[in-house]
Amino acid sequence: AALAGVVEYRNVTFAYPGAESPVLSNISFTARPGQTIAIIGSTGAGKTSLLSLLPRLYDPAEGQVLLDGVPVDRLDRAEITRRVALVPQRPYLFSGTIGHNLRFGKTEATDQELWDALLVAQGESFVREKKNGLDSRISQGGTNVSGGQRQRLCIARALVTKPRVYLFDDSFSALDVATDARLRAALKRTTSDATVIIVAQRISTITEADQILVLDNGRIVDRGTHEELLETSPTYQEIVES
Ligand code: DCP
Ligand code: MG
């Protein structure tokens, strides 16, 4: 189908403007609808940079990023935004109500859609407990909610747009292990036909991924399932033991 949500990186090399050396070198992988692809690697390995190329926050120097077989630089940005939701590593809430913040990508969403998204994102109870519910005020930068609440609101915001592709950049790290597990189980149910790419710090977040890409210094050094990597990848073993 034309709107399936197949993501393909083909021999992608990328350097930040003005930088001498690339932060990503020769990255190739495919993520298909129904799959979860996880990216793991030490700080500075290039995980955020890798995600940023799909919504075209930057364009690669070499190679191609394709969405449903079309190079993303041939799609208009509104089209990419409709199909791809990025939950950034430092999710941003602006001054306004919770409802305003959740409708950021889809202004016409109904309250029911917001509550449905909150339920999946494990944010329903803390919003319901607030006196004004969806009309509760968020201060600039979301300083009056906790880090974990902020992450859950930003995950709910992504769910509201019902994209074909989800990019989660370390979106589960501020959650306790139990909430993380519940959230991912709920996500799995509601996004079962979407393409999901997860950057994670915690191994438990990604053990069930269909494929894990081990990123080191801008390169994919190993790839496979959790079980495969435990057998074959010294870099992965180091991460597991750390
Ligand atoms: N970098 C840069 N300019 C930017 C962003 C990053 O020069 N605007 C550099 C810093 C790192 C490299 O690129 O050397 C990779 O950065 P990433 O943010 O992609 O790294 P990670 O997301 O893997 O790191 P972390 O786990 O800390 O989020
Ligand atoms: Mg990062």
Side-chain angles (χ1 to χ4, degrees):
L3 299 177
V6 180
V7 173
E8 187 185 352
Y9 281 53
R10 210 180 269 171
N11 305 115
V12 168
T13 294
F14 168 65
Y16 281 98
E20 284 166 23
S21 48
V23 294
L24 296 171
S25 302
N26 203 29
I27 300 291
S28 294
F29 69 93
T30 303
R32 295 192 171 77
Q35 285 187 329
T36 298
I37 304 296
I39 300 166
I40 198 155
S42 56
T43 181
K47 304 179 296 294
T48 297
S49 306
L50 188 155
L51 293 187
S52 74
L53 302 179
L54 181 59
R56 293 196 64 207
L57 304 180
Y58 296 95
D59 285 325
E62 289 168 44
Q64 281 186 314
V65 178
L66 303 109
L67 183 56
D68 294 325
V70 181
V72 287
D73 59 6
R74 285 208 236 132
L75 295 169
D76 68 55
R77 281 171 198 277
E79 179 67 17
I80 299 173
T81 308
R82 262 197 303 282
R83 286 151 78 176
V84 178
L86 167 65
V87 181
Q89 190 165 15
R90 283 181 209 82
Y92 189 73
L93 296 172
F94 53 85
S95 168
T97 66
I98 289 178
H100 291 143
N101 271 278
L102 294 181
R103 284 194 180 88
F104 180 66
K106 192 183 177 197
T107 47
E108 72 276 19
T110 63
D111 280 6
Q112 188 56 52
E113 287 178 284
L114 304 190
W115 285 114
D116 290 348
L118 284 168
L119 205 57
V120 174
Q122 310 299 306
E124 189 255 1
S125 59
F126 86 80
V127 176
R128 189 159 34 78
E129 281 160 18
K130 285 183 177 290
K131 187 159 58 72
N132 295 317
L134 293 172
D135 296 326
S136 307
R137 305 289 308 176
I138 298 276
S139 56
Q140 185 71 27
T143 48
N144 62 339
V145 295
S146 75
Q149 289 169 342
R150 181 158 56 231
Q151 280 189 319
R152 283 176 278 172
L153 290 175
C154 290
I155 291 166
R157 173 194 279 165
L159 285 159
V160 167
T161 67
K162 299 193 172 73
R164 300 298 314 147
V165 181
Y166 289 91
L167 306 176
F168 294 110
D169 193 350
D170 206 8
S171 303
F172 311 103
S173 58
L175 309 174
D176 60 80
V177 173
T179 306
D180 176 1
R182 271 203 310 280
L183 200 161
R184 283 181 297 99
L187 266 178
K188 190 94 201 145
R189 286 194 297 275
T190 47
T191 66
S192 59
D193 60 351
T195 305
V196 179
I197 303 179
I198 294 183
V199 167
Q201 300 284 346
R202 223 175 3 227
I203 293 288
S204 67
T205 310
I206 60 158
T207 47
E208 286 159 38
D210 296 291
Q211 179 161 242
I212 299 165
L213 310 177
V214 183
L215 205 60
D216 188 25
N217 212 355
R219 292 173 189 278
I220 298 175
V221 292
D222 290 304
R223 66 180 81 203
T225 63
H226 174 70
E227 286 72 22
E228 288 164 356
L229 290 170
L230 283 179
E231 297 278 319
T232 60
S233 171
T235 314
Y236 191 72
Q237 288 157 11
E238 267 175 43
I239 296 168
V240 170
E241 283 157 18
S242 67

